[in-house]
Amino acid sequence: MAHDPAAPGARLLHLWRRLAPLPGGAWLFSRILGFMVPYTGSIGATVRLLEPGHVRVELRDRRAVRNHLRSVHAVALVNLAEVSSGLAMLTALPPGVRGIVTGLSIEYFKKARGTLVAESQPTLPAMHGACELDVTADIRDTASEVVARATVRWRLSPG
């Protein structure tokens, strides 16, 4: 299914496909995304994979995202999960459909330390009007253990 070039997901995919193959392209794409969505950019995550409906986003463990327990702050993890679900959702949407987050929950399984990778791969329903869709995003540490799992509720509607 072709994406409308004016749709946000299609524009992001187009930009990713131009920049990702270049040296430093993933970093540059991620900084542009952070400029477009400043709060998302506040954690300094880097997109590593972006395909329609599939994303991997990496977060380096550093002082700016840590809490008093010397692990990655819970809110930084929520931000990472939300951006990964958002990129996966936006790039998978057909033309003429938009999405907005209406709910978000997260479970924390262990302290998050080291480089973290969030991955999201939603399966979109057939669109017959507005609907709600829960999208999960798993955050894994360098040992590939899930440190947190978020469920992001999206309201999808024509428009």
Side-chain angles (χ1 to χ4, degrees), residues 127-149:
M127 293 294 300
H128 305 290
C131 67
E132 300 272 333
L133 179 66
D134 287 343
V135 177
T136 59
D138 283 347
I139 302 173
R140 296 179 185 275
D141 61 15
T142 55
S144 292
E145 293 182 28
V146 176
V147 297
R149 176 172 295 129

Side-chain angles (χ1 to χ4, degrees), residues 27-49:
W27 178 88
L28 180 58
F29 174 86
S30 301
R31 300 301 74 77
I32 293 169
L33 178 64
F35 180 77
M36 293 167 59
V37 190
Y39 188 75
T40 294
S42 70
I43 61 170
T46 302
V47 177
R48 294 296 181 195
L49 170 77

Side-chain angles (χ1 to χ4, degrees), residues 4 9 19 50 62 73 88 100 123 154 156:
D4 174 1
L19 295 176
L50 182 59
R62 60 197 193 288
H73 197 283
I100 188 167
T123 302
W154 286 86
L156 304 179

Side-chain angles (χ1 to χ4, degrees), residues 88-136:
M89 178 61 63
L90 284 173
T91 58
L93 289 177
V97 176
R98 63 183 176 171
I100 188 167
V101 174
T102 60
L104 193 149
S105 64
I106 190 164
E107 294 178 273
Y108 302 100
F109 302 113
K110 63 182 275 194
K111 287 183 181 176
R113 292 191 169 121
T115 300
L116 304 172
V117 176
E119 187 165 17
S120 186
Q121 223 171 340
T123 302
L124 294 179
M127 293 294 300
H128 305 290
C131 67
E132 300 272 333
L133 179 66
D134 287 343
V135 177
T136 59

